[in-house]
């Protein structure tokens, strides 16, 4: 099925550990995004990539890095995880102004 | 960061009742979008609105793009158990590829 695939679906980290969240899309879209979702806070943009080879900070970039490996893949890295980064992370692609984003199913991350 | 004002934050309703939620903004948008998020999933687009004053339906869902272009509402008629979830509004300005999001309305249906 066409869409946005995120891995892993669940992850538990200890404080200070690092990890990379993977995202891949097969819709040939240029723009990709990483959001985090916390209860009562809605969706907050971490980083985005308007096209292959470019990345920009969003609203809450501190503690994260990203890589736009190619047109299909956009990864999010936590270098030294903190409990404040416990959240659900969503990757999305820009489908166009008439349809907005297509989202992956999310990665639920717990930092203990 | 900029965010839309979405209300109510949560709703407890009986099955069969109608539901109404809305979003307001201090900025003008060219597109309003309504998404639904089921538990454990990413948001999925329900309705997109492109013109001020536009009223659009999708089954039991009806949404309107406010005349001022600064607000939108979503109505759900005769709610059913599968309507539970979080509903998000989002606005788009043509100047970039980003959406501005509301904080969500959590819908809970009492059996």
């Amino acid at each position: 099925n066409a869409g946005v695939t995120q891995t892993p679906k669940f992850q538990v980290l200890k404080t200070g550990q690092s990890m990379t969240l993977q995202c891949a899309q097969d819709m040939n879209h240029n723009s990709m995004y990483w959001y985090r979702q916390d209860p009562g806070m809605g969706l907050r943009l971490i980083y985005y990539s308007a096209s292959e080879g470019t990345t920009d900070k969003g609203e809450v970039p501190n503690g994260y890095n990203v890589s736009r490996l190619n047109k299909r893949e956009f990864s999010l890295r936590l270098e030294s995880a903190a409990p404040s980064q416990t959240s659900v992370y969503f990757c999305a692609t820009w489908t166009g102004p008439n349809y907005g984003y297509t989202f992956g199913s999310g990665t639920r991350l717990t930092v203990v | 960061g900029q965010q839309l004002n979405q209300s109510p934050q949560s709703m407890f309703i009986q099955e069969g009742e109608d539901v109404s939620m809305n979003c307001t903004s201090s900025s003008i948008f060219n597109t309003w979008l309504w998404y639904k998020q089921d538990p454990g999933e990413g948001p999925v687009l329900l309705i997109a609105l492109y013109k001020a004053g536009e009223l659009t339906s999708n089954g039991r869902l009806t949404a309107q793009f406010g005349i001022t272009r600064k607000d939108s509402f979503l109505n759900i008629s005769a709610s059913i158990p599968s309507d539970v979830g979080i509903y998000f509004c989002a606005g788009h300005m043509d100047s970039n590829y980003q959406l501005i999001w509301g904080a969500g309305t959590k819908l809970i249906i009492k059996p």
Side-chain angles (χ1 to χ4, degrees), chain A residues 33 35 37 90 98-99 101, chain B residues 35 37 50 97-99 101:
Chain A
Y33 306 80
Y35 280 91
Q37 184 180 25
F90 288 101
N98 292 346
Y99 300 98
Y101 296 143
Chain B
Y35 285 81
Q37 184 181 27
Y50 312 119
Y97 300 124
Q98 294 184 41
L99 295 178
W101 294 89

Side-chain angles (χ1 to χ4, degrees), chain B residues 20-84:
Chain B
S20 184
M21 59 192 79
N22 68 83
C23 275
T24 61
S25 170
S26 57
S27 301
I28 291 174
F29 292 110
N30 292 324
T31 304
W32 281 91
L33 304 165
W34 284 92
Y35 285 81
K36 184 196 176 193
Q37 184 181 27
D38 291 324
E41 298 294 330
V44 173
L45 183 67
L46 294 174
I47 289 179
L49 301 157
Y50 312 119
K51 294 192 301 186
E54 178 182 357
L55 186 71
T56 296
S57 294
N58 179 5
R60 293 178 296 106
L61 278 61
T62 302
Q64 186 159 29
F65 193 145
I67 288 290
T68 64
R69 294 165 62 193
K70 294 183 177 181
D71 63 314
S72 178
F73 72 75
L74 175 70
N75 288 341
I76 305 172
S77 63
S79 58
I80 60 177
S82 62
D83 289 335
V84 300

Side-chain angles (χ1 to χ4, degrees), chain A residues 9 31 33 35 37 40-45 48 50 59 90 94 97-106 108, chain B residues 1-3 9 31 33 35 37 40-43 45 48 50 86 88 92 94 96-99 101-104:
Chain A
K9 292 189 76 67
S31 300
Y33 306 80
Y35 280 91
Q37 184 180 25
M41 301 285 289
L43 293 159
R44 293 186 291 169
L45 183 64
Y48 67 99
E59 180 185 355
F90 288 101
W94 178 249
N98 292 346
Y99 300 98
Y101 296 143
T102 297
F103 285 89
S105 57
R108 186 174 295 274
Chain B
Q2 185 181 4
Q3 194 173 58
Q9 188 173 26
T31 304
L33 304 165
Y35 285 81
Q37 184 181 27
E41 298 294 330
L45 183 67
Y50 312 119
I86 303 176
F88 290 100
H92 176 247
D94 289 342
N96 56 46
Y97 300 124
Q98 294 184 41
L99 295 178
W101 294 89

